[in-house]
Amino acid sequence: MLSATVPNNETRKRIRRIQNDLLGMQTTFLRLLSDSSFTGNQLLQEWSVQCLNYWRCIELPLCLSALAESDVTGSSLLDIGSPKLAPLWIANNFNFSQVLATDISDYFVRDLDQICRALRIEHVDSTVADAVKLPYPDKSFSAVLSVSVIEHIAGSGDVCAIKEIARTLCAGGIAVVSVPFWRCSLEESTGSGELYWENHTENSNGRVFYQ
């Protein structure tokens, strides 16, 4: 997990490089979007307008920097629900033989697979998986990444997800997990129809747990 320490100068420079890398991918996405076969690819449409939004402009590069700083080696990385730009960047900057991109819903699978084929990235696999009950054997992954995900799991789901991450992580592996921080506890719900994971979480009188 990320520590609460202030990044040193070397880390700040790495974060800035990663930010520039992620933003620089927009040119590639714009080129792909000019191909009519990508009509309807929601990920590509989103990234061609804004690769790195306000909420993730520091958090995502910081998490990827922590992964890079760890100098992790191994065959596989599991991404749990992070922004889908992360698996693409990881595939281009690490030597994992497999980068497994997962989420609670299949909204991203077709779009990410299409983008990977176009970019000839063969070792990113997209699939649906529930963080509280990962369908993988013990010690399956050298690294696990999860950016602003577990706080959105209702009930004790956050604790279950951390246990699942620990279970599926190889000895000596690294888990990079980020969550919001505030001085006091806060629980929010939102109106029905606003969340892509709505059908997979607790629903009470039309209100869906958010974080």
Side-chain angles (χ1 to χ4, degrees):
M1 293 187 188
L2 298 180
S3 68
T5 57
V6 177
N8 58 33
N9 286 336
E10 183 178 348
T11 300
R12 289 174 181 170
K13 289 178 181 178
R14 186 187 302 112
I15 290 171
R16 176 61 65 182
R17 287 196 299 270
I18 295 172
Q19 284 175 325
N20 290 335
D21 281 351
L22 295 171
L23 292 171
M25 295 170 74
Q26 188 172 32
T27 301
T28 299
F29 299 142
L30 285 168
R31 176 178 55 81
L32 291 179
L33 196 59
S34 66
D35 186 330
S36 61
S37 66
F38 285 93
T39 300
N41 189 306
Q42 296 297 317
L43 285 181
L44 201 58
Q45 291 178 12
E46 174 188 338
W47 292 342
S48 65
V49 175
Q50 188 178 53
C51 278
L52 202 57
N53 65 31
Y54 170 80
W55 300 106
R56 301 289 178 258
C57 65
I58 297 297
E59 182 185 22
L60 182 56
L62 181 60
C63 290
L64 295 175
S65 174
L67 193 63
E69 187 175 2
S70 72
D71 197 28
V72 63
T73 59
S75 60
S76 57
L77 175 141
L78 172 66
D79 175 77
I80 302 175
S82 303
K84 299 303 175 279
L85 200 60
L88 294 181
W89 188 88
I90 291 168
N92 285 327
N93 289 274
F94 289 87
N95 292 321
F96 295 111
S97 59
Q98 181 188 42
V99 176
L100 190 57
T102 69
D103 214 311
I104 192 66
S105 170
D106 66 356
Y107 78 96
F108 73 101
V109 171
R110 183 189 68 86
D111 289 353
L112 188 59
D113 284 348
Q114 184 185 27
I115 293 169
C116 287
R117 286 195 301 270
L119 299 179
R120 297 182 179 179
I121 299 175
E122 298 179 351
H123 54 295
V124 172
D125 295 315
S126 308
T127 190
V128 175
D130 188 342
V132 304
K133 194 176 181 181
L134 293 171
Y136 309 112
D138 296 355
K139 299 178 174 58
S140 293
F141 302 101
S142 305
V144 179
L145 175 71
S146 188
V147 179
S148 274
V149 174
I150 65 171
E151 73 274 12
H152 296 297
I153 307 175
S156 60
D158 51 354
V159 176
C160 293
I162 290 295
K163 289 180 178 179
E164 282 293 271
I165 289 171
R167 180 184 66 80
T168 56
L169 193 63
C170 292
I174 180 173
V176 178
V177 180
S178 69
V179 294
F181 170 79
W182 194 244
R183 295 178 181 86
C184 59
S185 176
L186 173 68
E187 185 170 312
E188 294 180 307
S189 296
T190 188
S192 177
E194 299 178 10
L195 306 174
Y196 73 82
W197 67 86
E198 177 179 333
N199 294 329
H200 307 277
T201 191
E202 294 179 5
N203 188 318
S204 177
N205 297 322
R207 302 292 289 174
V208 180
F209 175 77
Y210 179 63
Q211 63 181 0

